[in-house]
Amino acid sequence: MKILVIHGPNLNMLGKREPELYGDKTLVEIDTLVEKRARELEVEVLCFQSNSEGALIDFIQAQAPKADAIIINPGAFTHYSLSLRDALIVSDLPVIEVHLSNIYAREEWRHKSVIAPIARGQISGLGWRGYIAALEILAAEKA
Ligand code: DQA
């Protein structure tokens, strides 16, 4: 089983970026923890981050045919990127949406996700462990 783990804009700044909201781990540290858990679960992961909507869509189009599921934190694209939403639909893969912070406890405009209606589910507010939970759920489903 192969899972794409996709991070959207500004998530490359984790560690420095508002640690009270997003935690103090860097993206490299989070990806390393995800890769370690994936090895334990005997699933393959491919992690990718971009600040560009087009690069995220290109990655999904190129990699989805070779993958079984997607875990994505779309960053601020969560709230308005219909082209990212469409790319996820076209992938025809189960999608789990992850947010480090609880988007429902923040500004009103963050309460709406255009991704959530096409996702299998959403994990919001549980920090980096949200990615691990998503991975465990997908691995358990394949077993
Ligand atoms: C985020 C929440 C978004 O509203 C924000 O724009 C982000 C990070 C999160 O992980 O909590 O970039 O997706």
Side-chain angles (χ1 to χ4, degrees), residues 7-19 22-28 30 49 51 100:
H7 311 280
N10 297 305
L11 294 167
N12 57 314
M13 299 306 288
L14 290 176
K16 291 195 197 85
R17 180 188 178 198
E18 299 174 276
Y22 299 121
D24 53 14
K25 291 209 189 308
T26 65
L27 189 61
V28 170
I30 292 174
Q49 187 275 333
N51 293 322
L100 296 156

Side-chain angles (χ1 to χ4, degrees), residues 9 11 17 22 73 75-76 78-79 99-101 103 106 110:
L11 294 167
R17 180 188 178 198
Y22 299 121
N73 181 346
T78 304
H79 313 298
H99 299 285
L100 296 156
S101 66
I103 59 173
R106 300 183 61 194
R110 289 189 205 269

Side-chain angles (χ1 to χ4, degrees), residues 83-97:
S83 50
L84 182 59
R85 171 188 161 123
D86 280 350
L88 292 168
I89 292 171
V90 171
S91 80
D92 209 22
L93 294 177
V95 173
I96 298 186
E97 178 184 345

Side-chain angles (χ1 to χ4, degrees), residues 36 43 92 108 134:
K36 178 172 174 285
V43 299
D92 209 22
E108 186 93 30

Side-chain angles (χ1 to χ4, degrees), residues 42-139:
E42 297 179 348
V43 299
E44 195 185 335
V45 287
L46 179 59
C47 299
F48 178 75
Q49 187 275 333
S50 179
N51 293 322
S52 149
E53 195 175 20
L56 293 168
I57 292 165
D58 287 343
F59 178 83
I60 292 166
Q61 289 182 1
Q63 295 299 328
K66 297 175 263 178
D68 301 293
I70 295 176
I71 296 171
I72 185 165
N73 181 346
F77 290 149
T78 304
H79 313 298
Y80 65 91
S81 178
L82 299 178
S83 50
L84 182 59
R85 171 188 161 123
D86 280 350
L88 292 168
I89 292 171
V90 171
S91 80
D92 209 22
L93 294 177
V95 173
I96 298 186
E97 178 184 345
V98 171
H99 299 285
L100 296 156
S101 66
N102 179 355
I103 59 173
Y104 303 99
R106 300 183 61 194
E107 301 94 319
E108 186 93 30
W109 60 267
R110 289 189 205 269
H111 298 183
K112 180 172 171 62
S113 166
V114 299
I115 307 298
I118 60 99
R120 279 283 318 282
Q122 185 195 62
I123 298 170
S124 178
L126 301 177
W128 64 269
R129 290 184 181 84
Y131 294 99
I132 305 289
L135 194 59
E136 287 175 352
I137 289 159
L138 291 168

